[in-house]
Amino acid sequence: MRIALSDGITPSRLPVLLARCREEEPEVEVRLFEVPLAQQIKGLHDDLYDVGLSMANEVGDGILAEAVWDDPLMVAVPERHPLLAFKRVPLEEVLRYPLVLCDPEMCEGHARQIDRVLRRVEQKPLVAQYALTFDLMMAVVSAGLALGLAGAAHIASSREQGVVARPLAGPVPLLTTYMLRVDAEPSQILARFIERVAAMDSSESDKPP
């Protein structure tokens, strides 16, 4: 079972899913491949991967993209930052400060979803840095150099000290993860994997930290 991963998908979901695969079908070897979105799509077409997980649903012809889970978008704020006076931070206030965002080439789907949120206001964001990984994003935030925008689960799983998560004011934006596969009849192993993903119910939803 060859699974391609792109866009830094929600970290707390993947171990649960893989544990179920191992428990229910221990004879099936699972291989994971972290690749940019374009490489994932090409690999699905070329039968290099059986299925993929990504934060993008604009994947072109011949690929199915099914929404499988959501993660609340949060602001990663350094300790002792003025924005911590807000329990829910207005987006206009966030945009008064430099941001560190995920690199749009390495995290294409994530970057698209963040861009749609940022377009809700007319203010242009000041992007201080693009990070290739969420770990680097949280390190920049912890150092007080910028604010980050990431899913609640990514912030909660960060090893960096001094990072506080705050929700945005108004309706909470959700970052959606999609399961990608070729638009064809799945193999029996893939069909069971699809059922396993679908069975991950709301009781396993990622909670804001």
Side-chain angles (χ1 to χ4, degrees), residues 44-61:
L44 288 168
H45 281 297
D46 293 345
D47 194 29
L48 297 177
Y49 315 124
D50 300 297
V51 68
L53 293 167
S54 168
M55 298 186 77
N57 63 346
E58 300 164 5
V59 291
D61 295 336

Side-chain angles (χ1 to χ4, degrees), residues 60-207:
D61 295 336
I63 300 291
L64 299 176
E66 178 186 354
V68 291
W69 58 71
D70 296 316
D71 191 28
L73 174 64
M74 307 284 278
V75 186
V77 185
E79 285 185 339
R80 296 179 294 279
H81 193 280
L83 284 189
L84 294 180
F86 295 92
K87 289 188 176 180
R88 303 179 69 86
V89 187
L91 185 56
E92 292 84 353
E93 292 293 328
V94 174
L95 296 184
R96 292 176 53 208
Y97 298 93
L99 298 177
V100 53
L101 302 178
C102 236
D103 183 87
E105 291 188 11
M106 290 302 296
C107 302
E108 186 176 340
H110 183 274
R112 289 180 196 168
Q113 294 194 40
I114 295 296
D115 185 61
R116 284 196 288 268
V117 173
L118 295 177
R119 288 176 182 272
R120 294 180 181 180
V121 296
E122 293 184 0
Q123 281 176 265
K124 188 174 181 180
L126 173 61
V127 181
Q129 184 172 341
Y130 288 105
L132 294 179
T133 66
F134 287 98
D135 285 343
L136 178 57
M137 179 192 289
M138 293 305 119
V140 171
V141 173
S142 178
L145 301 176
L147 305 176
L149 289 171
H154 279 112
I155 301 175
S157 66
S158 171
R159 295 184 293 271
E160 295 293 336
Q161 300 297 314
V163 177
V164 182
R166 280 286 192 270
L168 289 168
V172 177
L174 297 175
L175 299 176
T176 303
T177 295
Y178 297 89
M179 178 170 55
L180 275 52
R181 61 184 178 90
V182 173
D183 186 5
E185 187 69 25
S187 67
Q188 290 185 1
I189 291 175
L190 179 54
R192 289 192 292 272
F193 178 84
I194 294 169
E195 291 175 359
R196 219 167 275 132
V197 173
M200 296 181 71
D201 58 37
S202 58
S203 65
E204 292 155 354
S205 295
D206 302 293
K207 305 250 191 286

Side-chain angles (χ1 to χ4, degrees), residues 1-5 9 13-32 50-53 69 179 188-200 204:
M1 186 71 180
R2 303 160 300 173
I3 306 172
L5 308 172
I9 64 162
R13 296 289 192 133
L14 188 60
V16 174
L17 179 59
L18 296 179
R20 287 189 180 178
C21 291
R22 183 172 58 85
E23 179 182 342
E24 296 175 12
E25 290 191 286
E27 73 282 1
V28 175
E29 180 183 1
V30 175
R31 294 185 180 179
L32 303 176
D50 300 297
V51 68
L53 293 167
W69 58 71
M179 178 170 55
Q188 290 185 1
I189 291 175
L190 179 54
R192 289 192 292 272
F193 178 84
I194 294 169
E195 291 175 359
R196 219 167 275 132
V197 173
M200 296 181 71
E204 292 155 354

